[in-house]
Amino acid sequence: MASFEDTSSESNVLPTPSLVIDEVRLDRNIAAMADFAARSGLSLRPHVKTHKSIEIARRQVAAGATGITVATISEAEVFAAAGFTDIFIAYPLWLDADKAARLRRLLATTLDAASTPLLIGVDSIDGAAQLAKAAAGLLDRVAVLVEVDSGHHRSGVPAGQAGVIASAARQAGLDVAGVFTFPGHSYSPEGRRAASIDEGRELAAAVAALAGVGVSARIVSGGSTPSVEFADTEVLTELRPGVYVFRDAQQWELGMSSPSDIALSVRATVVSNRNGHLIADAGSKVLGSDRGAFSTGFGRLLDHPDARITALSEHHATISGVDLLPGTQIDVVPNHVCIAVNLADEYVVLREGSVVDRWPVDARGANS
Amino acid sequence: MASFEDTSSESNVLPTPSLVIDEVRLDRNIAAMADFAARSGLSLRPHVKTHKSIEIARRQVAAGATGITVATISEAEVFAAAGFTDIFIAYPLWLDADKAARLRRLLATTLDAASTPLLIGVDSIDGAAQLAKAAAGLLDRVAVLVEVDSGHHRSGVPAGQAGVIASAARQAGLDVAGVFTFPGHSYSPEGRRAASIDEGRELAAAVAALAGVGVSARIVSGGSTPSVEFADTEVLTELRPGVYVFRDAQQWELGMSSPSDIALSVRATVVSNRNGHLIADAGSKVLGSDRGAFSTGFGRLLDHPDARITALSEHHATISGVDLLPGTQIDVVPNHVCIAVNLADEYVVLREGSVVDRWPVDARGANS
């Protein structure tokens, strides 16, 4: 990406803060993951919560993704309305009256009649019962994956209990398609390979637990961007990475992305420099304030690897380790790209530093 | 606020996650701060970045606020278009070509001809020069306040340098109305009074520095919600608190708000409970992930003071310290309310637990 320290080149100066995509890198990241999944003999079902973009999801499918993963009913609504027909809501939905009505509308109206059954996560007997009730009369359009806790200790059941959930779901009239997990403990410098080993072992145990109650798992779904390269191809049938399309500062600092892989940044302006104490105009309302235990700051500067964002307020990034004149535009790499994307309405798409397109963040705020 | 543990009472069940306002508490908080400012003999210019709501800003002005504070040109655009005429952009803007054009449009078109001059922060000679150039021909519609660093060490100059900036701004043709600071180091359990003392001392020094170059400060502006009660009324002329309208978990944990003062929460649903390990459907894309050094978690539960949010992902809040059935609706108090508001499109307004109105978050995303 070009340096914009020469602000006299007005064509390269963007309104700030802006969310900018390097399209060449984006396409390269999409192709690389599709190739990896194909070589591994696994289906690829990217998590679109990262980008919330119809255009990017279409590129992922064009590159070979078999379907998409979403986190919420509202994300499913956005992507189903755009014509996506193979969707997994990888979340243990609790279908109260509001969500039940929305799910029924999605199944009966928004999704194409030729769609693959909508996949939904389940991690409790009660959740399965709620889902079966909500989808009554439309049960042939839904299938569930039992969520397994493979070590991240968020939602999901221990693998040994997956059979109990599967059995209850089937008794409630639901098609149990298999199991899934999110090995989120891969987000640590030493955790990537270990999390993949946990993922493979626990998914295998969950498949056995399903078999124990007579359910054959046809989908065995795992995979976060940090862990995916170590995925157990003997156990898994599909991968659900999200962040790989863009990369971010977390992945940079985990040692798995170099700056030249990073396809998304926040263009910002240095507004103040007092003896090398810099303030830029991208704060927590633009970058988000996620910060892992291993993070060295609140984001990185793409073209200045020694710089650190040492503090973040809503509209101020405090930067040290680089000396830049006020007015200089910089590309800030968010710690966690999914959060930064959800704060913007639009992507500015660049090729070789020039604006070539603008894409909406179609599912911005679609978090219910 | 009513407890919603009985989910059979469907009228009280909201789609989740939703941003909910307790209108009685909101109005009480607005009135209390207006009364405090009046009793202290200080003007009140609330920071509307907290709520980004035209309706709430109108209530603040109706209660006696003399004007409003915003953080960005885009927030100024939203509130000027809604008829607000006394606006302070409390940020050291860097007016490049894009922002200069927007500022000129704001001054020449959006703001009413009878508006008070638009106040803008400045903390460098170069920034003042950029502003004077951008506002050429419209200089009578602008005035600047020199930003002083009173100990938060973000933007702003040391008080002793305020005269140099003021002098340069005046030479560039700008009206220098005074000085301002944000005593953000008030956000610590022991820091509130100490930050107020710093604020008063540094603002007094800055006023003296302006006098030294022949500039009389008619506005001396300070005040964050945690520090405001200790403000030096001999030095300050106005207060700019923001969070007081809603309060949040930070203020609760600083010991300056009780749960019964908190006017904003995120209604969420418990979606999973495995042996007391609860998951609710309000994650970092709804609550934000701000977490002060003094915070005990990623937010609090309004009706369950012993509960803690021990982990937060994009769509999962992991909760311990309370045992609730899946399907239970809870009111989560964000750590930092300004961040949570900027993630939502709409407020659901409640009186005694019943929905009485819906207000847009008018300036949601207006962060440039």
Side-chain angles (χ1 to χ4, degrees):
Chain A
M1 189 169 286
S3 165
F4 292 93
E5 295 191 25
D6 176 7
T7 54
S8 65
S9 168
E10 287 288 333
S11 68
N12 281 335
V13 175
L14 294 173
T16 65
S18 289
L19 205 59
V20 300
I21 287 178
D22 182 314
E23 191 181 21
V24 172
R25 293 178 184 181
L26 171 70
D27 287 341
R28 199 168 64 207
N29 291 342
I30 290 172
M33 186 63 79
D35 288 350
F36 172 78
R39 276 187 282 115
S40 306
L42 299 173
S43 299
L44 178 62
R45 184 188 289 283
H47 209 315
V48 301
K49 72 179 169 64
T50 297
H51 54 71
K52 291 177 174 271
S53 157
I54 292 165
E55 172 65 28
I56 296 174
R58 285 185 178 145
R59 291 182 186 213
Q60 290 173 306
V61 170
T66 52
I68 61 171
T69 306
V70 301
T72 62
I73 294 178
S74 54
E75 284 183 343
E77 288 164 346
V78 169
F79 286 91
F84 291 83
T85 57
D86 189 350
I87 301 177
F88 172 29
I89 306 178
Y91 192 85
L93 296 178
W94 184 266
L95 290 150
D96 59 15
D98 164 67
K99 287 199 169 56
R102 289 169 57 205
L103 178 70
R104 294 182 65 80
R105 195 161 52 236
L106 182 63
L107 295 174
T109 312
T110 316
L111 280 166
D112 191 87
S115 292
T116 303
L118 180 68
L119 295 166
I120 300 178
V122 62
D123 81 342
S124 69
I125 294 171
D126 289 346
Q130 288 278 111
L131 171 55
K133 194 174 95 180
L138 295 161
L139 286 175
D140 60 322
R141 313 203 66 175
V142 174
V144 299
L145 298 185
V146 178
E147 183 171 5
V148 175
D149 177 5
S150 58
H152 186 42
H153 305 320
R154 198 171 63 179
S155 46
V157 295
Q161 293 175 27
V164 177
I165 308 296
S167 187
R170 194 178 44 182
Q171 285 191 340
L174 293 163
D175 174 28
V176 180
V179 294
F180 80 107
T181 195
F182 173 64
H185 53 317
S186 61
Y187 277 83
S188 78
E190 305 305 321
R192 296 169 55 207
R193 185 186 295 269
S196 293
I197 292 169
D198 292 345
E199 172 189 66
R201 184 188 62 243
E202 298 304 314
L203 284 176
V207 169
L210 262 60
V213 297
V215 175
S216 171
R218 55 185 192 274
I219 298 177
V220 182
S221 178
S224 63
T225 297
S227 63
V228 75
E229 71 177 275
F230 308 109
D232 187 334
T233 57
E234 299 298 311
V235 174
L236 275 67
T237 67
E238 81 171 21
L239 302 171
R240 300 189 325 280
V243 174
Y244 74 93
V245 289
F246 293 142
R247 312 289 171 152
D248 58 19
Q250 285 187 159
Q251 309 232 331
W252 183 358
E253 299 201 331
L254 286 172
M256 57 174 297
S257 297
S258 76
S260 62
D261 297 325
I262 294 173
L264 184 134
S265 55
V266 172
R267 182 65 53 85
T269 299
V270 175
V271 300
S272 181
N273 177 345
R274 197 171 72 253
N275 305 323
H277 173 91
L278 271 60
I279 303 292
D281 64 354
S284 54
K285 280 180 172 170
V286 174
L287 297 172
S289 38
D290 274 27
R291 183 176 177 172
F294 59 87
S295 298
T296 62
F298 292 94
R300 295 289 292 268
L301 270 57
L302 193 56
D303 300 315
H304 304 284
D306 294 335
R308 290 295 181 279
I309 299 180
T310 56
L312 200 63
S313 332
E314 288 162 61
H315 301 279
H316 302 71
T318 303
I319 300 169
S320 66
V322 63
D323 199 21
L324 300 169
L325 290 176
T328 306
Q329 292 206 343
I330 53 179
D331 282 311
V332 182
V333 184
N335 272 350
H336 184 182
V337 72
C338 309
I339 298 296
V341 165
N342 184 54
L343 288 161
D345 293 313
E346 185 182 70
Y347 294 106
V348 179
V349 185
L350 305 183
R351 284 184 96 80
E352 296 179 3
S354 295
V355 177
V356 294
D357 212 343
R358 290 169 190 277
W359 301 336
V361 182
D362 302 281
R364 198 275 315 153
N367 299 317
S368 67
Chain B
M1 190 167 286
S3 166
F4 292 94
E5 296 189 24
D6 177 8
T7 54
S8 65
S9 166
E10 287 288 335
S11 69
N12 281 335
V13 175
L14 293 173
T16 65
S18 290
L19 204 61
V20 300
I21 287 178
D22 182 313
E23 192 182 20
V24 172
R25 292 177 184 181
L26 170 71
D27 286 341
R28 198 169 65 207
N29 290 342
I30 289 172
M33 186 62 79
D35 288 351
F36 172 78
R39 277 187 282 115
S40 305
L42 299 174
S43 299
L44 178 62
R45 184 187 289 281
H47 209 314
V48 301
K49 74 179 168 63
T50 297
H51 54 70
K52 290 178 174 273
S53 157
I54 291 165
E55 173 65 28
I56 296 174
R58 285 186 178 143
R59 291 182 186 212
Q60 290 173 306
V61 169
T66 53
I68 61 170
T69 306
V70 301
T72 62
I73 294 178
S74 53
E75 284 184 344
E77 289 165 345
V78 169
F79 286 90
F84 290 83
T85 57
D86 189 349
I87 300 177
F88 172 28
I89 306 178
Y91 192 86
L93 296 178
W94 185 265
L95 290 150
D96 59 15
D98 164 67
K99 288 199 169 56
R102 290 169 57 206
L103 178 70
R104 294 182 66 81
R105 195 161 52 237
L106 182 64
L107 295 174
T109 312
T110 317
L111 281 167
D112 190 88
S115 293
T116 303
L118 179 68
L119 294 167
I120 301 177
V122 63
D123 81 343
S124 69
I125 294 171
D126 289 345
Q130 288 278 110
L131 170 56
K133 194 173 95 180
L138 296 161
L139 287 174
D140 60 321
R141 313 203 66 176
V142 174
V144 300
L145 298 185
V146 178
E147 183 171 5
V148 175
D149 176 6
S150 59
H152 185 42
H153 305 320
R154 197 171 64 179
S155 46
V157 296
Q161 293 175 26
V164 177
I165 308 296
S167 188
R170 193 179 45 181
Q171 286 191 337
L174 294 162
D175 175 28
V176 179
V179 294
F180 80 106
T181 195
F182 173 65
H185 52 316
S186 61
Y187 277 82
S188 79
E190 306 305 321
R192 295 169 54 207
R193 185 185 296 269
S196 293
I197 292 169
D198 292 343
E199 172 188 65
R201 184 187 63 243
E202 297 305 314
L203 285 175
V207 169
L210 262 60
V213 297
V215 175
S216 172
R218 56 187 190 272
I219 299 177
V220 182
S221 178
S224 62
T225 297
S227 63
V228 76
E229 71 176 276
F230 309 108
D232 187 334
T233 57
E234 300 298 311
V235 175
L236 276 66
T237 66
E238 80 171 21
L239 302 171
R240 301 189 324 278
V243 173
Y244 74 95
V245 290
F246 292 141
R247 312 288 172 154
D248 58 20
Q250 286 186 159
Q251 310 233 330
W252 184 357
E253 300 203 329
L254 286 172
M256 56 174 296
S257 297
S258 76
S260 62
D261 297 325
I262 294 173
L264 185 133
S265 55
V266 172
R267 183 64 54 84
T269 300
V270 176
V271 299
S272 181
N273 177 345
R274 195 169 73 251
N275 306 321
H277 172 91
L278 272 60
I279 302 292
D281 64 354
S284 55
K285 280 181 172 169
V286 174
L287 297 172
S289 38
D290 274 27
R291 183 176 179 174
F294 59 89
S295 298
T296 63
F298 292 95
R300 296 289 292 267
L301 270 57
L302 193 56
D303 301 316
H304 304 283
D306 294 334
R308 290 294 181 280
I309 299 180
T310 57
L312 200 63
S313 331
E314 288 163 60
H315 300 280
H316 303 71
T318 303
I319 301 169
S320 66
V322 63
D323 199 22
L324 300 168
L325 290 176
T328 306
Q329 291 206 345
I330 53 178
D331 282 311
V332 181
V333 184
N335 271 351
H336 185 183
V337 72
C338 310
I339 298 297
V341 165
N342 184 53
L343 288 160
D345 293 312
E346 185 182 69
Y347 294 105
V348 179
V349 185
L350 305 183
R351 286 187 92 87
E352 296 180 3
S354 295
V355 177
V356 293
D357 212 343
R358 290 169 190 275
W359 301 335
V361 181
D362 302 281
R364 196 275 316 152
N367 300 317
S368 67

